[in-house]
Structure formats: structure tokens, C-alpha cells
Amino acid sequence: MPKEILLQVSPETAADTALLKANISKKMNLATADIAHVVIVKRSIDARQKSVKINLKVNVYVNGESFETHKIKLPEYKDVAEKQAVIVVGAGPAGLFAALQLIELGLRPIVVERGKDVRGRRRDLKAINRDHIVNEDSNYCFGEGGAGTYSDGKLYTRSKKRGDVTRILELLVAFGANPDILVDAHPHIGTNKLPQIIEDIREKIKEFGGQVLFDTRVVDILLKNNEVQGVLTQNGDVIEANKLILATGHSARDVFEMLHAKDILIEAKPFALGVRAEHPQALIDQIQYSCDYRGAFLPPAPYSIVKQVNGRGMYSFCMCPGGVIAPCATSPGEVVTNGWSPSKRDQATANSGIVVELKLEDFKPFAKYGPLAGMAFQKSIEQKAWHVAGGSFDNLESQNSQCVPAQKMIDFTKGKVSAEIPKTSYVPGTTSVELGAVFPGFLTQILRQGFTDFGKSMKGYLTNEAVLHGPESRTSSPVRIPRDSVTLEHLQIKGLYPCGEGAGYAGGIISAAIDGEKCALMVAAALK
């Protein structure tokens, strides 16, 4: 049996097999030649001290011990072309992993996706970045792979209790992800790598008898006596099945509106909202690693920060080292920001959402919208941001319609309009404004105080080298679609399984994928 040991080594040692073996041999009082294999089980960075270290958990095999490389394989899927159909609405991680699980369970998934396939989406992303044209069905939020595909591909989750994280990571590796995601404390695939993995998942679904329909937006759920009968698409087509996994993502406002119009039970849910802050990556490296230059053996530094301000949590969200800020609107007449990083995280800037937790009471001015009050609150800020950045409600397709309101960080804390905004990674461009004009007064006050507090904890963080872009508003769904805690079936509609981020039960790729699998398991159990 291998011996498991914990090490804390320099970045250079962690990156060099020979140096690592030498370190292990000293720790174990063994000759280096006696060490046959070293398998890294877990890896993380410890930057709490002035000298940055790498924490490793390794399995050490000495000569003579049996060693076999663990090859990760896909499950043995069987053809389900003639099996009972289950509709899956949405081809994000919840929908795709639900579909794979359904095939494992002998059921035929029909995945219905409003957007385009993962390659076709690229043209629409180019259009929103270059021409400021928002395709309401194909954008950073909608399309094959969901919002995570072109907004970073981070795989870290704190939701260990929700399900088997390792299973999801191993499935991703089997579909082509770097095996390092099984080892790293904060695994990440990268926006440039994830599309091929998503495409391979789709082809596997089709290979074993499932269907994947693109450019197919669901406009109605067909019911009889509060039981699912199928769905109606925007083209007037009916897809029949009595089990429906609804995994539409956090931005499918038309789906929330449709459910509400049909008196299908939904409820408002608190979420978080704020800005996206961009710093030079070199500055974040200096702050986090306490050095002038991080060197060749450390990755671009991330950061995570949380403060309590006026009784509210204000925290970093979806931090992207070596990344860029992207326009994530899903309709004309609004601006929305998000961030992403390529797999190498090699861009010159670092960005993070900096958001404030909201409460249901904050939505009282929108009470007339009932359970959609949070969504209306969210929409009002996105539309105000679009307008103050130069958008005209008389011409939703105006050429400045995806410019984002921006302000230097110190200027924001002082309520001072920045004289100029330096070029940032946000391609459609920025408009210098006082961001307090975008947010309600209580939110502006918290953000201003919070950034001041951040600067006290991270020396150098509060700087006019940083530019704030607003808003960061799609952190999670503004509604929850209630379901039974055991069966996961909707409390009112038989055969409807609310799923993933859009239904309020996940917060990222991994937790959404886990929830997709759980819903598929419950569908299969109900059909027995």
C-alpha cells in the first residue's frame, strides 16, 4: 500500500519531479532511488506567509509496491432510442448531466435548448462584443453549455453536501478535461477548453439515442389536471412526455413569467448584486504573493474577500485571474457584466464580481410583480445602467447600447466622476459615470464603505488603477421554483422537476451538474 504524506514545499519543488522526490526521500528517510512513484492527490497554494508555499497531499509508492495508473472511463451507456422519453429543458450543466444520467438509467432524454450549439454561439458573442447586438436566445447566458461555458468554467464548489463532486469531476475528465481538476483545490477548465468537452457530451447523448434540439425555445408547458403532458415550442411544435426536468438557468425570465402567468407556484428568492472590479493582474499578484514578481512557478493570483457592511455581506464572486470582463445582457436595453478566464489565465488583468447580499424586503418597491419582484428589481438596475451609459430607449439597437457604466475605484468611494476611464478588457467599451446613479442608495452606501474596508484588509486593493464596471447582477436566480425535498417534484405540478441554478438549487457548474443528476434519479424512481 502507498504511504500518504502531507508536504509543504516551494513552488519550484512542486513543479519539478526530481526536486519533489528529493524532498519526499528526506521526509521519509528513504533513498531517492527507492521511490518508484509519487501521485499527487491534492494541491493548494498557501500564500499566508511572506514566502509562498504549495501544500501537497501525495501517495508515495516504493520499489516493489504494486502501482497501477487509475484510468477514468465513462459509464457503459446503453442505447435508449426506443425507451421512455423525458424532456430536459436547457442544455447547461444541469440539463446535460441530467441527460447523461437518464441514459445511464435507461431513459431517453430530449434536450430542448433555446440557443445555438456551442460553436454557433461564438458568432453571437462576437456580435454583442463588436456590434453591440444582443441575440435574446444565443448569448453568454443562453446556448449549449449554459452560462458557464463562455464565462470561465470554474469548478470549485463549497456544496459538498449536495452530492458527489468527485463523480462530476471524473466525468469531465473522461470527456477530455485536464486530470488536474481532480487535484487542484480550485479547479478550472477555461473558456477556451470547455466548448469541446460540452460538444463531446452532446455527441455522447445523441450516440446512445437521446435527442438534442437547438434553436428551440419552450413557450409553454402543456398540462392536464396539473400533470405534465409535454411542451410547446416557439415554432408551434409539441413535444410529448409526462416527465419534464426544467433546467433553464438563472436568466430565463420568460420562463419565470410563463410559470407565473399559468399560476404555477414560484417564489421570490434573495440574490446578490454589485459591480465587477478589474485590477492589473500584476497588482493582485503583488498583494497576494507579497512579491514584486510572481515568477514562473506560481499561477496568476486569485483573491477571495468577505466583509460585513451595515449588516450585509459584501464579497468577491466568480473571481477571474488573468481574465476579461464580458457583456452578458440577454435582451436589448440592458447591460450586464460577468468575467471569464482562458485555461492559462494569461491575460493582463484580473476581475471579480464584488456583490452585496440582498434581502426580500429590498424588493418591496416592486411588490406588484409578486414572486417576480426580485427579477423586476434586477431588471430595473440593468436597464438604468444601460441608459446612463448612453443607451437610448428610442433606439434599442443604438451603437453604444452595450457600453457599460464605469468608474475608478477610489473615485467611486468618493462619489466623484472619473475624468477618464483607461481601456479595460470589456470590449464594447465604457462610459464614465457616477455609479451611484445606477444603484439604490442603500446599495451604493454599502459598496462605497465595503471597498474602503477591502482596502484595509488587502493593502493596495483600493486604488484608481482598478475600474468598476456595473452591474454584476446575474449571480444567481431571483426566483425559486419550489419542489418536494425528497422527490424533487414540483409541489403543485406532477411530472415537473425544477432543476439547477434557474430553479434556485445550484450555484455553479458542479452544483448544477449534481442537481441535474439528482433530478434524473428521481424521475427514474417515479417511473418504476
Side-chain angles (χ1 to χ4, degrees):
M1 290 288 291
K3 182 173 178 58
E4 182 181 280
I5 64 171
L6 302 177
L7 299 169
Q8 190 174 72
V9 300
S10 69
E12 292 87 347
T13 298
D16 187 297
T17 303
L19 290 176
L20 184 58
K21 275 191 175 183
N23 186 286
I24 292 170
S25 69
K26 185 176 180 180
K27 185 177 180 71
M28 296 182 66
N29 197 25
L30 282 174
T32 304
D34 290 336
I35 299 175
H37 301 281
V38 175
V39 178
I40 297 175
V41 179
K42 286 295 177 185
R43 176 172 51 220
S44 64
I45 297 173
D46 186 346
R48 292 173 295 178
Q49 307 300 321
K50 190 160 186 178
S51 177
V52 180
K53 299 294 184 182
I54 307 297
N55 293 325
L56 297 175
K57 179 193 290 186
V58 300
N59 285 336
V60 181
Y61 294 79
V62 298
N63 292 331
E65 284 186 327
S66 175
F67 172 76
E68 191 173 320
T69 301
H70 176 51
K71 184 171 176 58
I72 296 173
K73 299 179 181 179
L74 289 171
E76 293 187 6
Y77 299 116
K78 295 182 179 179
D79 190 272
V80 295
E82 302 302 321
K83 302 297 185 180
Q84 183 167 348
V86 177
I87 298 171
V88 180
V89 182
L96 291 175
F97 277 82
L100 289 172
Q101 183 73 84
L102 287 169
I103 291 173
E104 266 194 84
L105 297 166
L107 297 168
R108 177 167 62 92
I110 303 175
V111 182
V112 184
E113 169 55 51
R114 70 190 297 159
K116 296 179 182 176
D117 65 65
V118 74
R119 304 292 173 183
R121 288 177 74 183
R122 289 178 173 175
R123 289 187 292 273
D124 297 309
L125 301 187
K126 184 176 180 180
I128 193 172
N129 275 290
R130 185 188 64 185
D131 303 319
H132 303 250
I133 296 171
V134 181
N135 182 325
E136 295 187 70
D137 287 319
S138 179
N139 44 61
Y140 277 97
C141 292
F142 299 146
E144 185 180 24
T149 302
Y150 287 108
S151 58
D152 205 55
K154 276 188 276 300
L155 304 176
Y156 178 66
T157 179
R158 294 183 178 89
S159 305
K160 309 297 184 186
K161 293 181 180 179
R162 287 182 175 171
D164 190 346
V165 173
T166 300
R167 171 180 160 85
I168 302 299
L169 292 175
E170 288 187 344
L171 280 170
L172 287 167
V173 170
F175 277 107
N178 190 319
D180 281 352
I181 67 173
L182 298 170
V183 171
D184 290 331
H186 291 80
H188 166 257
I189 292 178
T191 294
N192 56 321
K193 300 285 188 179
L194 195 53
Q196 184 60 56
I197 294 168
I198 297 299
E199 188 173 322
D200 290 346
I201 290 174
R202 176 232 304 162
E203 290 305 311
K204 190 63 66 176
I205 292 168
K206 292 168 62 177
E207 177 185 347
F208 286 92
Q211 287 181 268
V212 183
L213 308 175
F214 296 113
D215 297 306
T216 306
R217 177 164 30 92
V218 169
V219 296
D220 197 10
I221 298 174
L222 305 179
L223 304 173
K224 183 177 181 181
N225 298 325
N226 276 353
E227 294 187 18
V228 169
Q229 304 295 301
V231 296
L232 177 69
T233 74
Q234 86 275 28
N235 297 321
D237 298 325
V238 172
I239 302 171
E240 295 183 349
N242 61 12
K243 299 295 180 187
L244 166 60
I245 296 176
L246 190 65
T248 55
H250 58 43
S251 291
R253 290 171 171 167
D254 58 328
V255 172
F256 303 148
E257 290 167 345
M258 178 263 290
L259 295 174
H260 185 46
K262 292 176 73 69
D263 291 323
I264 293 176
L265 185 63
I266 61 174
E267 57 194 30
K269 181 182 77 64
F271 58 103
L273 188 145
V275 297
R276 187 151 284 264
E278 180 170 276
H279 291 76
Q281 180 63 54
L283 175 59
I284 299 300
D285 292 342
Q286 290 170 18
I287 295 170
Q288 295 297 85
Y289 294 148
S290 301
C291 63
D292 292 331
Y293 172 62
R294 73 170 184 266
F297 301 102
L298 283 171
Y303 66 84
S304 176
I305 191 164
V306 181
K307 293 289 181 184
Q308 284 290 314
V309 185
N310 296 347
R312 308 258 187 158
M314 177 171 161
Y315 56 93
S316 55
F317 168 82
C318 184
M319 196 274 147
C320 300
V324 302
I325 299 177
C328 293
T330 52
S331 295
E334 65 187 27
V335 290
V336 180
T337 63
N338 200 347
W340 61 269
S341 301
S343 57
K344 293 183 179 179
R345 293 180 160 170
D346 54 1
Q347 302 300 300
T349 51
N351 69 78
S352 179
I354 304 295
V355 297
V356 176
E357 62 177 353
L358 298 175
K359 302 176 181 180
L360 291 178
E361 65 196 52
D362 300 327
F363 309 148
K364 284 183 179 178
F366 301 89
K368 68 179 183 180
Y369 296 97
L372 303 181
M375 189 181 86
F377 174 94
Q378 181 188 60
K379 185 188 296 187
S380 72
I381 289 177
E382 294 169 359
Q383 290 176 341
K384 186 179 293 185
W386 176 82
H387 185 60
V388 302
S392 168
F393 289 109
D394 295 327
N395 180 11
L396 292 183
E397 302 301 332
S398 61
Q399 284 303 299
N400 64 353
S401 63
Q402 281 303 300
C403 283
V404 73
Q407 194 170 10
K408 292 179 179 179
M409 187 182 287
I410 292 178
D411 289 346
F412 172 68
T413 64
K414 295 180 177 179
K416 172 187 172 184
V417 176
S418 302
E420 62 177 358
I421 302 295
K423 182 177 174 60
T424 75
S425 66
Y426 184 83
V427 173
T430 60
T431 302
S432 181
V433 306
E434 208 296 277
L435 280 170
V438 174
F439 302 108
F442 79 91
L443 196 54
T444 299
Q445 183 182 7
I446 292 170
L447 286 166
R448 283 182 175 148
Q449 182 61 50
F451 279 116
T452 301
D453 294 348
F454 281 16
K456 294 174 183 176
S457 297
M458 290 178 63
K459 301 298 183 183
Y461 184 87
L462 180 61
T463 173
N464 265 349
E465 287 188 72
V467 178
L468 307 181
H469 305 63
E472 169 85 25
S473 51
R474 306 287 178 95
T475 55
S476 67
S477 178
V479 307
R480 178 174 286 108
I481 308 174
R483 67 188 188 187
D484 184 272
S485 61
V486 176
T487 67
L488 307 188
E489 193 171 40
H490 189 270
L491 297 179
Q492 173 191 10
I493 306 300
K494 188 173 177 59
L496 176 62
Y497 293 79
C499 182
E501 280 203 54
Y505 299 101
I509 291 173
I510 296 297
S511 58
I514 288 171
D515 202 56
E517 289 202 332
K518 287 167 61 177
C519 286
L521 287 164
M522 291 299 100
V523 167
L527 289 171
K528 283 185 179 178

PDB file of all heavy atoms in Angstrom, residues 114-133:
ATOM      1  N   ARG A 114     -32.928  26.607 -26.153  1.00  0.00           N
ATOM      2  CA  ARG A 114     -33.359  27.793 -26.891  1.00  0.00           C
ATOM      3  C   ARG A 114     -32.233  28.366 -27.755  1.00  0.00           C
ATOM      4  O   ARG A 114     -32.484  28.992 -28.779  1.00  0.00           O
ATOM      5  CB  ARG A 114     -33.842  28.860 -25.914  1.00  0.00           C
ATOM      6  CG  ARG A 114     -32.741  29.490 -25.074  1.00  0.00           C
ATOM      7  CD  ARG A 114     -33.281  30.346 -23.957  1.00  0.00           C
ATOM      8  NE  ARG A 114     -34.035  31.474 -24.463  1.00  0.00           N
ATOM      9  CZ  ARG A 114     -34.944  32.152 -23.753  1.00  0.00           C
ATOM     10  NH1 ARG A 114     -35.192  31.790 -22.503  1.00  0.00           N
ATOM     11  NH2 ARG A 114     -35.578  33.164 -24.266  1.00  0.00           N
ATOM     12  N   GLY A 115     -30.987  28.198 -27.322  1.00  0.00           N
ATOM     13  CA  GLY A 115     -29.849  28.796 -28.016  1.00  0.00           C
ATOM     14  C   GLY A 115     -29.235  27.870 -29.047  1.00  0.00           C
ATOM     15  O   GLY A 115     -29.760  26.813 -29.379  1.00  0.00           O
ATOM     16  N   LYS A 116     -28.069  28.291 -29.517  1.00  0.00           N
ATOM     17  CA  LYS A 116     -27.364  27.540 -30.550  1.00  0.00           C
ATOM     18  C   LYS A 116     -26.390  26.550 -29.931  1.00  0.00           C
ATOM     19  O   LYS A 116     -26.147  26.558 -28.727  1.00  0.00           O
ATOM     20  CB  LYS A 116     -26.614  28.517 -31.460  1.00  0.00           C
ATOM     21  CG  LYS A 116     -27.544  29.458 -32.225  1.00  0.00           C
ATOM     22  CD  LYS A 116     -26.758  30.430 -33.087  1.00  0.00           C
ATOM     23  CE  LYS A 116     -27.718  31.394 -33.802  1.00  0.00           C
ATOM     24  NZ  LYS A 116     -27.003  32.423 -34.577  1.00  0.00           N
ATOM     25  N   ASP A 117     -25.830  25.697 -30.781  1.00  0.00           N
ATOM     26  CA  ASP A 117     -24.809  24.784 -30.293  1.00  0.00           C
ATOM     27  C   ASP A 117     -23.581  25.588 -29.882  1.00  0.00           C
ATOM     28  O   ASP A 117     -23.448  26.772 -30.171  1.00  0.00           O
ATOM     29  CB  ASP A 117     -24.462  23.723 -31.341  1.00  0.00           C
ATOM     30  CG  ASP A 117     -23.822  24.308 -32.586  1.00  0.00           C
ATOM     31  OD1 ASP A 117     -22.711  24.852 -32.498  1.00  0.00           O
ATOM     32  OD2 ASP A 117     -24.442  24.227 -33.664  1.00  0.00           O
ATOM     33  N   VAL A 118     -22.657  24.916 -29.191  1.00  0.00           N
ATOM     34  CA  VAL A 118     -21.560  25.623 -28.542  1.00  0.00           C
ATOM     35  C   VAL A 118     -20.671  26.369 -29.539  1.00  0.00           C
ATOM     36  O   VAL A 118     -20.088  27.418 -29.215  1.00  0.00           O
ATOM     37  CB  VAL A 118     -20.756  24.627 -27.674  1.00  0.00           C
ATOM     38  CG1 VAL A 118     -19.895  23.716 -28.529  1.00  0.00           C
ATOM     39  CG2 VAL A 118     -19.955  25.338 -26.613  1.00  0.00           C
ATOM     40  N   ARG A 119     -20.557  25.867 -30.755  1.00  0.00           N
ATOM     41  CA  ARG A 119     -19.755  26.568 -31.773  1.00  0.00           C
ATOM     42  C   ARG A 119     -20.535  27.737 -32.367  1.00  0.00           C
ATOM     43  O   ARG A 119     -19.999  28.821 -32.583  1.00  0.00           O
ATOM     44  CB  ARG A 119     -19.332  25.594 -32.878  1.00  0.00           C
ATOM     45  CG  ARG A 119     -18.581  24.369 -32.379  1.00  0.00           C
ATOM     46  CD  ARG A 119     -17.217  24.699 -31.817  1.00  0.00           C
ATOM     47  NE  ARG A 119     -16.582  23.549 -31.197  1.00  0.00           N
ATOM     48  CZ  ARG A 119     -15.413  23.574 -30.569  1.00  0.00           C
ATOM     49  NH1 ARG A 119     -14.743  24.715 -30.476  1.00  0.00           N
ATOM     50  NH2 ARG A 119     -14.913  22.482 -30.013  1.00  0.00           N
ATOM     51  N   GLY A 120     -21.809  27.501 -32.645  1.00  0.00           N
ATOM     52  CA  GLY A 120     -22.636  28.551 -33.238  1.00  0.00           C
ATOM     53  C   GLY A 120     -22.777  29.763 -32.340  1.00  0.00           C
ATOM     54  O   GLY A 120     -22.965  30.890 -32.819  1.00  0.00           O
ATOM     55  N   ARG A 121     -22.692  29.557 -31.025  1.00  0.00           N
ATOM     56  CA  ARG A 121     -22.797  30.681 -30.085  1.00  0.00           C
ATOM     57  C   ARG A 121     -21.710  31.721 -30.321  1.00  0.00           C
ATOM     58  O   ARG A 121     -21.906  32.899 -30.026  1.00  0.00           O
ATOM     59  CB  ARG A 121     -22.678  30.181 -28.642  1.00  0.00           C
ATOM     60  CG  ARG A 121     -23.862  29.426 -28.120  1.00  0.00           C
ATOM     61  CD  ARG A 121     -23.609  28.903 -26.715  1.00  0.00           C
ATOM     62  NE  ARG A 121     -23.652  29.964 -25.707  1.00  0.00           N
ATOM     63  CZ  ARG A 121     -23.409  29.753 -24.418  1.00  0.00           C
ATOM     64  NH1 ARG A 121     -23.083  28.542 -23.995  1.00  0.00           N
ATOM     65  NH2 ARG A 121     -23.477  30.749 -23.560  1.00  0.00           N
ATOM     66  N   ARG A 122     -20.565  31.292 -30.811  1.00  0.00           N
ATOM     67  CA  ARG A 122     -19.427  32.207 -30.928  1.00  0.00           C
ATOM     68  C   ARG A 122     -19.742  33.406 -31.819  1.00  0.00           C
ATOM     69  O   ARG A 122     -19.289  34.520 -31.559  1.00  0.00           O
ATOM     70  CB  ARG A 122     -18.213  31.458 -31.492  1.00  0.00           C
ATOM     71  CG  ARG A 122     -17.614  30.476 -30.500  1.00  0.00           C
ATOM     72  CD  ARG A 122     -16.456  29.717 -31.112  1.00  0.00           C
ATOM     73  NE  ARG A 122     -15.796  28.901 -30.095  1.00  0.00           N
ATOM     74  CZ  ARG A 122     -14.811  28.051 -30.363  1.00  0.00           C
ATOM     75  NH1 ARG A 122     -14.381  27.908 -31.612  1.00  0.00           N
ATOM     76  NH2 ARG A 122     -14.261  27.348 -29.401  1.00  0.00           N
ATOM     77  N   ARG A 123     -20.519  33.180 -32.865  1.00  0.00           N
ATOM     78  CA  ARG A 123     -20.872  34.307 -33.758  1.00  0.00           C
ATOM     79  C   ARG A 123     -21.707  35.339 -33.011  1.00  0.00           C
ATOM     80  O   ARG A 123     -21.541  36.549 -33.219  1.00  0.00           O
ATOM     81  CB  ARG A 123     -21.627  33.777 -34.977  1.00  0.00           C
ATOM     82  CG  ARG A 123     -20.764  32.985 -35.940  1.00  0.00           C
ATOM     83  CD  ARG A 123     -21.527  32.630 -37.212  1.00  0.00           C
ATOM     84  NE  ARG A 123     -22.598  31.675 -36.947  1.00  0.00           N
ATOM     85  CZ  ARG A 123     -22.425  30.357 -36.946  1.00  0.00           C
ATOM     86  NH1 ARG A 123     -21.234  29.838 -37.156  1.00  0.00           N
ATOM     87  NH2 ARG A 123     -23.446  29.549 -36.715  1.00  0.00           N
ATOM     88  N   ASP A 124     -22.586  34.874 -32.143  1.00  0.00           N
ATOM     89  CA  ASP A 124     -23.432  35.804 -31.402  1.00  0.00           C
ATOM     90  C   ASP A 124     -22.651  36.514 -30.295  1.00  0.00           C
ATOM     91  O   ASP A 124     -22.943  37.671 -29.976  1.00  0.00           O
ATOM     92  CB  ASP A 124     -24.639  35.059 -30.830  1.00  0.00           C
ATOM     93  CG  ASP A 124     -25.505  34.485 -31.944  1.00  0.00           C
ATOM     94  OD1 ASP A 124     -25.859  35.242 -32.854  1.00  0.00           O
ATOM     95  OD2 ASP A 124     -25.792  33.275 -31.907  1.00  0.00           O
ATOM     96  N   LEU A 125     -21.663  35.844 -29.742  1.00  0.00           N
ATOM     97  CA  LEU A 125     -20.804  36.502 -28.758  1.00  0.00           C
ATOM     98  C   LEU A 125     -19.957  37.573 -29.439  1.00  0.00           C
ATOM     99  O   LEU A 125     -19.729  38.655 -28.885  1.00  0.00           O
ATOM    100  CB  LEU A 125     -19.900  35.480 -28.062  1.00  0.00           C
ATOM    101  CG  LEU A 125     -20.608  34.346 -27.322  1.00  0.00           C
ATOM    102  CD1 LEU A 125     -19.600  33.513 -26.534  1.00  0.00           C
ATOM    103  CD2 LEU A 125     -21.682  34.876 -26.389  1.00  0.00           C
ATOM    104  N   LYS A 126     -19.506  37.280 -30.646  1.00  0.00           N
ATOM    105  CA  LYS A 126     -18.761  38.278 -31.408  1.00  0.00           C
ATOM    106  C   LYS A 126     -19.643  39.474 -31.721  1.00  0.00           C
ATOM    107  O   LYS A 126     -19.205  40.631 -31.653  1.00  0.00           O
ATOM    108  CB  LYS A 126     -18.233  37.654 -32.700  1.00  0.00           C
ATOM    109  CG  LYS A 126     -17.351  38.579 -33.523  1.00  0.00           C
ATOM    110  CD  LYS A 126     -16.798  37.853 -34.741  1.00  0.00           C
ATOM    111  CE  LYS A 126     -15.904  38.771 -35.566  1.00  0.00           C
ATOM    112  NZ  LYS A 126     -15.362  38.067 -36.760  1.00  0.00           N
ATOM    113  N   ALA A 127     -20.907  39.215 -32.038  1.00  0.00           N
ATOM    114  CA  ALA A 127     -21.832  40.296 -32.394  1.00  0.00           C
ATOM    115  C   ALA A 127     -22.105  41.213 -31.211  1.00  0.00           C
ATOM    116  O   ALA A 127     -22.186  42.435 -31.370  1.00  0.00           O
ATOM    117  CB  ALA A 127     -23.140  39.716 -32.935  1.00  0.00           C
ATOM    118  N   ILE A 128     -22.258  40.642 -30.014  1.00  0.00           N
ATOM    119  CA  ILE A 128     -22.536  41.501 -28.849  1.00  0.00           C
ATOM    120  C   ILE A 128     -21.289  42.294 -28.463  1.00  0.00           C
ATOM    121  O   ILE A 128     -21.377  43.458 -28.058  1.00  0.00           O
ATOM    122  CB  ILE A 128     -23.076  40.684 -27.658  1.00  0.00           C
ATOM    123  CG1 ILE A 128     -23.654  41.629 -26.584  1.00  0.00           C
ATOM    124  CG2 ILE A 128     -22.037  39.780 -27.066  1.00  0.00           C
ATOM    125  CD1 ILE A 128     -24.373  40.911 -25.467  1.00  0.00           C
ATOM    126  N   ASN A 129     -20.107  41.706 -28.628  1.00  0.00           N
ATOM    127  CA  ASN A 129     -18.871  42.409 -28.296  1.00  0.00           C
ATOM    128  C   ASN A 129     -18.519  43.478 -29.328  1.00  0.00           C
ATOM    129  O   ASN A 129     -18.148  44.595 -28.965  1.00  0.00           O
ATOM    130  CB  ASN A 129     -17.711  41.408 -28.190  1.00  0.00           C
ATOM    131  CG  ASN A 129     -17.613  40.762 -26.819  1.00  0.00           C
ATOM    132  OD1 ASN A 129     -17.259  41.405 -25.847  1.00  0.00           O
ATOM    133  ND2 ASN A 129     -17.935  39.477 -26.750  1.00  0.00           N
ATOM    134  N   ARG A 130     -18.658  43.148 -30.587  1.00  0.00           N
ATOM    135  CA  ARG A 130     -18.193  44.062 -31.643  1.00  0.00           C
ATOM    136  C   ARG A 130     -19.286  45.004 -32.118  1.00  0.00           C
ATOM    137  O   ARG A 130     -19.049  46.198 -32.326  1.00  0.00           O
ATOM    138  CB  ARG A 130     -17.671  43.240 -32.837  1.00  0.00           C
ATOM    139  CG  ARG A 130     -17.049  44.073 -33.946  1.00  0.00           C
ATOM    140  CD  ARG A 130     -16.736  43.211 -35.152  1.00  0.00           C
ATOM    141  NE  ARG A 130     -17.961  42.662 -35.753  1.00  0.00           N
ATOM    142  CZ  ARG A 130     -17.974  41.797 -36.755  1.00  0.00           C
ATOM    143  NH1 ARG A 130     -16.833  41.342 -37.256  1.00  0.00           N
ATOM    144  NH2 ARG A 130     -19.111  41.348 -37.247  1.00  0.00           N
ATOM    145  N   ASP A 131     -20.494  44.470 -32.299  1.00  0.00           N
ATOM    146  CA  ASP A 131     -21.572  45.258 -32.910  1.00  0.00           C
ATOM    147  C   ASP A 131     -22.658  45.662 -31.921  1.00  0.00           C
ATOM    148  O   ASP A 131     -23.627  46.306 -32.306  1.00  0.00           O
ATOM    149  CB  ASP A 131     -22.204  44.461 -34.062  1.00  0.00           C
ATOM    150  CG  ASP A 131     -21.185  44.053 -35.115  1.00  0.00           C
ATOM    151  OD1 ASP A 131     -20.319  44.885 -35.430  1.00  0.00           O
ATOM    152  OD2 ASP A 131     -21.262  42.908 -35.600  1.00  0.00           O
ATOM    153  N   HIS A 132     -22.529  45.252 -30.664  1.00  0.00           N
ATOM    154  CA  HIS A 132     -23.485  45.602 -29.608  1.00  0.00           C
ATOM    155  C   HIS A 132     -24.886  45.020 -29.875  1.00  0.00           C
ATOM    156  O   HIS A 132     -25.886  45.563 -29.428  1.00  0.00           O
ATOM    157  CB  HIS A 132     -23.586  47.123 -29.446  1.00  0.00           C
ATOM    158  CG  HIS A 132     -22.288  47.799 -29.158  1.00  0.00           C
ATOM    159  ND1 HIS A 132     -21.995  48.365 -27.948  1.00  0.00           N
ATOM    160  CD2 HIS A 132     -21.177  47.998 -29.923  1.00  0.00           C
ATOM    161  CE1 HIS A 132     -20.779  48.897 -27.979  1.00  0.00           C
ATOM    162  NE2 HIS A 132     -20.262  48.673 -29.164  1.00  0.00           N
ATOM    163  N   ILE A 133     -24.926  43.910 -30.615  1.00  0.00           N
ATOM    164  CA  ILE A 133     -26.205  43.283 -30.952  1.00  0.00           C
ATOM    165  C   ILE A 133     -26.465  42.128 -29.985  1.00  0.00           C
ATOM    166  O   ILE A 133     -25.656  41.213 -29.864  1.00  0.00           O
ATOM    167  CB  ILE A 133     -26.200  42.761 -32.409  1.00  0.00           C
ATOM    168  CG1 ILE A 133     -26.057  43.936 -33.384  1.00  0.00           C
ATOM    169  CG2 ILE A 133     -27.469  41.972 -32.698  1.00  0.00           C
ATOM    170  CD1 ILE A 133     -25.827  43.500 -34.813  1.00  0.00           C
TER     171      ILE A 133
END
